[in-house]
Amino acid sequence: MEFSVWYLGLAAAFGLFMAWGIGANDVANAMATSVGSRALTIKQAILVAAVFEFTGAFLAGGQVTSTIRKGIIDASDVADRPELLVFGMLAALLAAAIWLLLASRRGWPVSTTHSIVGAIVGFAAVGIGFESVHWAKVGTIAASWVVSPMLSGFIAFFIFMSVQRLILSTEDPLANARKYVPFYIFAVGFIMALVTLLKGLSHVGLDLSTRQSLVVAVVAGLATMIIGVLLIKRVKVVPSDDEDFRFTNVEKIFGVLMIFTACGMAFAHGSNDVANAVGPVAAVVSIVKTGAVAQKSSLATWILLLGAVGIVLGLATYGWRVIKTVGRSITELTPSRGFAAELAAATTVVIASGTGIPISTTHTLVGAVLGVGIARGIGALNLRVVRNIMLSWIVTLPAGGILAILFFFLFKGIFLN
Amino acid sequence: MAGGYLSGIFGSSPVRPLQTHMEQIVECVQQLIPFINAVLDGNTSDRDHIHRNIVDLEHKADKLKKELRLRLPSSLFMPIDRRDVLEVLTMQDRVAGAVRDVSGIIIGRNMVIPEPMRDNYRELVATCVQSVEQAHQAISELDELIETSFGDKERERVGSLLSELDRIEQTTDEQTITLSHQLFDMEQQLEPVNVMFLYRVLDRTSLIADRAQRVGSRLQLMLAR
């Protein structure tokens, strides 16, 4: 294919840029809850984010990547003109990245996922043809944007109720916290491991049956639980701390739990959001390599790595500052609530990742926080955020789409003349 | 700033400001004991000084009240009813109002409490202060109530604080009745206008405990929802 080196280079550059943007802006929302509740210091949060965003992206990012790459567009229409798909994917990447940059500069609440999906649908519908979009799939994705915050809110509600029942609202909350918190820690390790394993790690050379996966997940859960128990043992209970607020020491134990849910959150975020950057890259790479719109070729591991590295870079250069800012403004969320929200959101996101559905991590987390709020767990929630989220849906999809259409025709003009 | 809308979801909770307001009120009410001591000792300079203190503290509480009201937009979603918060706030505020009334009347008319009533009146004031402190204790359980999202154990705890508050308020009623009888028996020997105002002072003093109790009953309503 003509210009193929150019295509590859541009795809890698745009993909890295997009991943950088995700690391710089998006990760903050996943990590800030833990920083805000003082379960983690900024430094620890960055370390956790770097390690688990990377592993999440690398180990569990494949499914969503393949959806972004080939689930939205029916490429059979352009089988004879594969360049069109290359231009489109490049345009979508650039459009989404620029839109994100602009929006986050302005402080608008936009989602990476919505930008990239809007961009891909936009260029495909206009540049290739309206019927080349898998509308059913797009419909499923759009529905999941409504369902995922609700689901995570639902889960958060029940997790939080169980915490009330088992720990907070009992005669001896401290003893019960020591007793039950390890089981929540087990759940974090178990769920993350299970979903990842079930969806396959064949790209790192690990192929397990369902039963094997289950066993490994239980082992992973137990391992995290043991670490958790050791950490809980180290928590210093200072009775005088409880004078003003009788749950100060109990919250310290939940603080340990939040370290684990923060890891889970970073993992989940990596697994779902890396696709927004590397999905289009993967599409370009496979077209250039085979010279055709091959729908079957598997995902090259280095592409996932590219995305994972980009996220960590974004985190290291800019994201840590955003974590600091957002974390400082979230002080209302004590560890007993923060963990419930994070566990619910991480579970929802990881399940979506396993199913290959791109969803917004932030919106899912907002849904989870609302779930805890409905369980009468949070002093005050500002419901205007819900309106803002709706607005961001309405604005981001067309914005990403229109920008992508512009870039699509730009690339077409540059390379085809 | 990016990511701002996650933090935007957390409204400022009214609980802490409500408690701060109540602390201010308690501080104001507690001034009443040295004030009455100064009045009974006939120490007018101390008396006037403490009165200014009371007025200052009442003003500060008033400011807090106004700030808190502004912090409660209707888009806030809270585990406690917005109306209940505002009601509790109003009741807390009125406690300070009653204190200011008592000290104001005494200062304004340069009043002297008749000898036979003194010990009983001192006791009444002490019990009134106690009732406000009790209401404060209940209010300071609000953050624990939210932490346990109104769990049964915590409700019971607050419930027992509130029944103790009711008991204290009843005591002030009895004390006021005793004092009224005493005053009635002395009416002939005193200036009629002074008698009138003495009744008013008694009335306003017992009102302090009455309003402290209403703070409690509003809190009870919060629990019931």
Side-chain angles (χ1 to χ4, degrees):
Chain A
M1 190 185 282
E2 219 184 341
F3 301 119
S4 58
V5 178
W6 274 97
Y7 297 154
L8 281 182
L10 283 178
F14 292 167
L16 202 62
F17 179 39
M18 181 80 177
W20 178 87
I22 295 171
N25 288 311
D26 232 31
V27 175
N29 287 327
M31 299 310 296
T33 12
S34 300
V35 176
S37 62
R38 303 214 183 77
L40 294 177
T41 63
I42 301 274
K43 273 188 192 155
Q44 289 166 335
I46 292 162
L47 196 71
V48 164
V51 171
F52 286 91
E53 289 277 343
F54 187 91
T55 38
F58 186 61
L59 294 181
Q63 302 301 122
V64 186
T65 304
S66 105
T67 301
I68 297 276
R69 174 185 161 207
K70 53 194 181 185
I72 297 175
I73 303 173
D74 179 5
S76 57
D77 289 355
V78 284
D80 47 334
R81 302 179 68 198
E83 310 85 25
L84 285 188
L85 209 56
V86 173
F87 302 148
M89 285 300 183
L90 289 177
L93 263 185
L94 194 59
I98 285 178
W99 172 245
L100 279 180
L101 198 68
L102 183 81
S104 45
R105 274 279 161 86
R106 291 284 166 117
W108 296 335
V110 301
S111 147
T112 350
T113 307
H114 300 165
S115 315
I116 194 78
V117 171
I120 292 179
V121 170
F123 95 76
V126 174
I128 300 177
F130 192 77
E131 61 291 338
S132 70
V133 178
H134 280 308
W135 290 108
K137 184 81 185 174
V138 174
T140 311
I141 293 173
S144 77
W145 293 342
V146 181
V147 173
S148 60
M150 281 164 51
L151 177 66
S152 87
F154 202 67
I155 299 176
F157 179 88
F158 284 104
I159 293 176
F160 186 63
M161 291 302 259
S162 77
V163 172
Q164 292 300 351
R165 202 50 70 73
L166 294 173
I167 300 171
L168 291 174
S169 195
T170 57
E171 291 286 358
D172 190 352
L174 200 59
N176 285 323
R178 286 183 187 286
K179 192 156 107 197
Y180 292 113
V181 163
F183 290 101
Y184 291 107
I185 297 179
F186 172 84
V188 178
F190 177 74
I191 293 170
M192 297 300 136
L194 185 66
V195 179
T196 311
L197 290 168
L198 283 182
K199 279 306 150 187
L201 287 174
S202 42
H203 65 287
V204 288
L206 207 64
D207 239 336
L208 300 174
S209 68
T210 307
R211 187 176 297 169
Q212 283 169 322
S213 300
L214 214 58
V215 173
V216 176
V218 169
V219 173
L222 287 175
T224 35
M225 188 167 148
I226 289 168
I227 300 172
V229 171
L230 292 177
L231 285 175
I232 290 173
K233 280 225 171 88
R234 284 176 50 197
V235 172
K236 282 194 198 78
V237 171
V238 187
S240 66
D241 286 357
D242 282 350
E243 263 165 28
D244 185 41
F245 180 64
R246 265 180 293 111
F247 293 88
T248 312
N249 284 307
V250 179
E251 287 291 354
K252 283 185 196 163
I253 293 179
F254 280 108
V256 173
L257 177 47
M258 248 199 131
I259 299 172
F260 291 92
T261 50
C263 298
M265 199 66 219
F267 184 88
H269 181 258
S271 73
N272 204 285
D273 281 40
V274 76
N276 299 330
V278 304
V281 180
V284 172
V285 169
S286 88
I287 295 166
V288 170
K289 261 197 189 151
T290 59
V293 281
Q295 292 281 19
K296 286 188 205 77
S297 62
S298 65
L299 176 68
T301 308
W302 70 266
I303 302 174
L304 274 180
L305 264 176
L306 177 88
V309 168
I311 288 182
V312 174
L313 273 180
L315 189 64
T317 52
Y318 188 76
W320 61 274
R321 252 182 297 177
V322 186
I323 294 183
K324 220 170 168 172
T325 325
V326 181
R328 256 196 216 128
S329 53
I330 307 182
T331 47
E332 302 275 336
L333 207 63
T334 54
S336 60
R337 285 107 233 275
F339 114 80
E342 279 190 343
L343 180 55
T347 305
T348 310
V349 173
V350 157
I351 291 173
S353 300
T355 329
I357 294 177
I359 61 175
S360 160
T361 315
T362 313
H363 293 180
T364 311
L365 193 54
V366 168
V369 171
L370 287 176
V372 179
I374 289 170
R376 295 184 97 181
I378 295 175
L381 290 174
N382 196 341
L383 289 186
R384 248 177 246 154
V385 173
V386 177
R387 192 197 61 189
N388 287 347
I389 286 182
M390 308 255 191
L391 264 179
S392 91
W393 288 346
I394 297 166
V395 176
T396 299
L397 291 173
I402 291 168
L403 275 175
I405 293 165
L406 289 177
F407 287 126
F408 174 73
F409 286 112
L410 181 74
F411 286 130
K412 209 171 145 189
I414 293 173
F415 288 107
L416 283 190
N417 288 332
Chain B
M1 197 66 222
Y5 75 120
L6 185 67
S7 50
I9 193 172
F10 297 99
S12 53
S13 162
V15 169
R16 190 62 219 149
L18 199 63
Q19 292 174 336
T20 316
H21 182 257
M22 192 61 186
E23 280 159 28
Q24 196 76 49
I25 301 294
V26 170
E27 210 184 313
C28 176
V29 175
Q30 280 167 342
Q31 293 291 312
L32 208 53
I33 291 177
F35 176 81
I36 294 300
N37 284 339
V39 170
L40 296 181
D41 295 347
N43 186 340
T44 48
S45 76
D46 263 16
R47 182 195 69 181
D48 294 352
H49 177 71
I50 299 168
H51 173 66
R52 272 195 299 278
N53 247 350
I54 290 177
V55 174
D56 273 357
L57 287 168
E58 202 251 342
H59 274 315
K60 273 191 207 161
D62 209 44
K63 242 191 195 161
L64 285 177
K65 178 186 74 178
K66 282 176 187 144
E67 274 170 33
L68 178 53
R69 279 185 181 158
L70 291 176
R71 287 172 82 158
L72 287 177
S74 54
S75 61
L76 273 193
F77 174 76
M78 297 183 294
I80 40 183
D81 197 286
R82 197 168 162 273
R83 264 174 313 172
D84 289 342
V85 174
L86 291 172
E87 280 295 334
V88 166
L89 185 65
T90 309
M91 285 306 152
Q92 289 181 172
D93 193 58
R94 290 200 184 153
V95 170
V99 173
R100 195 203 44 204
D101 283 357
V102 170
S103 67
I105 297 169
I106 291 179
I107 291 263
R109 295 196 40 85
N110 206 2
M111 278 173 83
V112 178
I113 311 285
E115 188 63 44
M117 289 170 68
R118 287 188 168 188
D119 284 345
N120 281 340
Y121 185 64
R122 223 194 284 261
E123 245 173 65
L124 172 65
V125 168
T127 321
C128 284
V129 172
Q130 204 194 336
S131 75
V132 178
E133 286 166 347
Q134 183 71 19
H136 173 229
Q137 247 191 56
I139 289 290
S140 58
E141 287 294 312
L142 257 179
D143 43 358
E144 274 89 353
L145 271 169
I146 290 182
E147 170 76 13
T148 61
S149 67
F150 298 81
D152 292 339
K153 282 276 162 312
E154 189 56 33
R155 278 168 196 261
E156 277 167 31
R157 196 186 170 100
V158 177
S160 69
L161 287 175
L162 291 180
S163 27
E164 174 66 12
L165 174 57
D166 288 346
R167 201 195 53 73
I168 297 172
E169 198 270 342
Q170 234 162 31
T171 311
T172 64
D173 279 348
E174 288 155 14
Q175 288 169 329
T176 315
I177 292 169
T178 312
L179 279 160
S180 301
H181 282 313
Q182 275 183 312
L183 184 55
F184 180 74
D185 290 343
M186 287 188 298
E187 265 177 15
Q188 304 306 323
Q189 307 142 39
L190 297 167
E191 275 282 318
V193 180
N194 278 349
V195 170
M196 229 182 76
F197 277 96
L198 271 171
Y199 275 120
R200 181 171 288 183
V201 166
L202 286 184
D203 181 54
R204 289 298 145 103
T205 310
S206 70
L207 205 58
I208 296 173
D210 192 60
R211 285 173 174 173
Q213 191 206 20
R214 283 203 205 173
V215 171
S217 46
R218 269 293 151 181
L219 191 62
Q220 199 125 46
L221 273 184
M222 275 188 196
L223 295 187
R225 279 183 227 258

